[in-house]
Amino acid sequence: MKPCEIKDGIYWTGAVDWNRRSFHGYSLSHKGTTYNNYLIKDEKIALVDTVAEEFWGTLQCNVAQVLKPGEKIDYFVINHLEPDHAGSLALAVAKYQPEKIYVSPMGQKAMDAHFHYKDWPVEVVPTGTEISLGKRTLKFIEARMLHWPDSMLTYCPEDKIVFTNDAFGQNWATSERFADQVDRSTLERLMGEYYANIVLPYSPVVLKLLGTIEELKLDIDMVCPDHGLIFRGAEDCKWAMEKYREFAEQKPKNKAVIVYDTMWHSTEKMALAVASGLAEEGVSVRVMCMKNNHHSDVMSEIRDAAAVIVGSPTHNNGILPLMADMLTYMKGLRPQNKIGSAVGSFGWSGECVKILNQWLEDCGMEVLEGVKVKHVPDHEILGKCFDQGKAIAAAIKAKLA
Ligand code: FEO
């Protein structure tokens, strides 16, 4: 995609990766992603972030289309060192030879550990630091652990624009550049998916950052993330921030996710009976078998659910591996405010529900009594599972009251 002037003298010079399908285990819903970066032309010219290394050629091409003969990039601003944004940094330093590379205090450490540079003109810019580009100012706000220690936001008051790196991003490869050009419900879903799979454990940091933006009274009418669509206009920027507040607060909805794997369908029958009990009481239910669903798609559903019901038969004194994968993934993302419960069948040793309950406790969930059965559930056991669903529904109702 060609560069795009997003405000007078400020250009998107990023790359669209139509074919990316995974970020270290986070499946991208077949939507790809973008690596946004931005070139600000003033008396000094600044490049905000780079792109993944495989798109270095695209970045050079886009920058060449924006710079006039004799112009050069003076400054780099590196908001985040993860290789999807800084993967081209060493190549860019060699080619453009910037006077300064601005980076957060933790960013300097990450930059050193990634690139082992000796003579780069790095300048550390803690929160509150300002630099002048001529007519414009850039102000830096550290956002440690959103979602790496080095993460930083860059704000330009004259243009009311904030470059937010991963925050407010969505993995969505599009020819459009602005959020007001695409379907809003898809945008919201993909923002939520990104949040659930990348940002969720750092929700307290998000709330703190939103508070800082309010305290600093930043006037914002453009939010430029490094993935996906750009928010333009005060109303859309406010929408994006309110979505992040909603995601970060993790207030559950009247919704339950049942995630399971099954060997010979006994656990599956139990899971479906729990679903019926929940639905009977008006809870919106998602039933997701790990044989057919990626763990990140399950996590996207779990984000705003009030209850997570997990199911697995006992397998070699443990649980089935696809469930172990799911539970490991979920525990790392630390979802809050959930009720948990478990079901499972067994042949002889029968540890499944105990093991699943331990995982739920480790995730900080309020664990309700589960149901287990030897080999195949009969009508009575399925009735117990149905009642388990109703009991979970009652707990959800109490939680949401
Ligand atoms: Fe999009 Fe944390 O990198």
Side-chain angles (χ1 to χ4, degrees), residues 23 80 82 84-85 147-148 165-166 194 198 226-227:
F23 267 104
H80 180 32
E82 195 162 5
D84 50 332
H85 308 294
H147 65 123
W148 274 23
N165 199 265
D166 281 325
Y194 189 94
I198 300 280
D226 273 8
H227 294 292

Side-chain angles (χ1 to χ4, degrees), residues 15 50 136 217 244 250 269 357:
T50 70
R136 293 181 180 84
K217 295 187 171 39
Y244 253 48
Q250 298 195 58
K269 286 173 186 162
N357 280 346

Side-chain angles (χ1 to χ4, degrees), residues 289-310:
C289 177
M290 286 310 299
K291 285 186 177 62
N292 306 311
N293 290 282
H294 194 278
H295 59 220
S296 50
D297 293 331
V298 177
M299 202 58 223
S300 298
E301 290 290 352
I302 286 173
R303 180 185 59 76
D304 60 357
V308 181
I309 298 93
V310 293

Side-chain angles (χ1 to χ4, degrees), residues 83-324:
D84 50 332
H85 308 294
S88 297
L89 182 57
L91 294 161
V93 171
K95 178 175 174 87
Y96 299 117
Q97 301 191 357
E99 285 170 36
K100 298 276 185 196
I101 303 172
Y102 295 105
V103 68
S104 72
M106 296 304 283
Q108 183 188 29
K109 292 180 181 174
M111 192 180 276
D112 188 21
H114 272 85
F115 298 105
H116 314 288
Y117 61 88
K118 296 270 187 298
D119 53 358
W120 290 5
V122 174
E123 190 162 313
V124 174
V125 283
T127 294
T129 310
E130 295 183 11
I131 63 164
S132 173
L133 298 182
K135 295 185 186 69
R136 293 181 180 84
T137 313
L138 296 182
K139 296 185 176 193
F140 303 103
I141 304 164
E142 288 170 75
R144 285 190 194 192
M145 299 316 299
L146 189 63
H147 65 123
W148 274 23
D150 58 283
S151 301
M152 179 172 85
L153 274 56
T154 299
Y155 175 65
C156 174
E158 293 82 2
D159 285 293
K160 303 180 184 178
I161 184 167
V162 62
F163 303 97
T164 57
N165 199 265
D166 281 325
F168 308 106
Q170 335 90 44
N171 283 317
W172 193 3
T174 55
S175 52
E176 296 81 5
R177 296 278 68 83
F178 295 100
D180 56 31
Q181 297 170 315
V182 299
D183 176 66
R184 186 54 55 123
S185 62
T186 306
L187 180 77
E188 183 175 348
R189 180 172 64 76
L190 294 176
M191 262 180 96
E193 178 188 292
Y194 189 94
Y195 194 94
N197 287 279
I198 300 280
V199 186
L200 190 63
Y202 312 108
S203 292
V205 182
V206 171
L207 292 172
K208 195 171 158 207
L209 179 71
L210 292 172
T212 303
I213 288 171
E214 276 178 9
E215 274 167 32
L216 295 174
K217 295 187 171 39
L218 298 189
D219 193 2
I220 295 173
D221 81 354
M222 186 170 281
V223 172
C224 296
D226 273 8
H227 294 292
L229 286 307
I230 296 165
F231 299 92
R232 66 178 163 188
E235 205 170 303
D236 259 9
C237 295
K238 194 170 165 216
W239 180 88
M241 292 198 193
E242 283 312 308
K243 277 291 141 205
Y244 253 48
R245 186 180 303 283
E246 178 191 319
F247 296 162
E249 285 175 343
Q250 298 195 58
K251 286 184 188 153
K253 293 185 176 156
N254 183 30
K255 171 181 172 184
V257 177
I258 302 178
V259 53
Y260 68 95
D261 196 6
T262 193
M263 201 182 294
W264 297 108
H265 301 292
S266 287
T267 298
E268 183 167 64
K269 286 173 186 162
M270 298 169 84
L272 293 171
V274 175
S276 291
L278 282 158
E280 178 87 357
E281 296 299 321
V283 176
S284 183
V285 186
R286 310 285 183 275
V287 179
M288 307 181 86
C289 177
M290 286 310 299
K291 285 186 177 62
N292 306 311
N293 290 282
H294 194 278
H295 59 220
S296 50
D297 293 331
V298 177
M299 202 58 223
S300 298
E301 290 290 352
I302 286 173
R303 180 185 59 76
D304 60 357
V308 181
I309 298 93
V310 293
S312 172
T314 301
H315 177 245
N316 297 335
N317 301 109
I319 55 175
L320 284 174
L322 290 175
M323 279 306 293

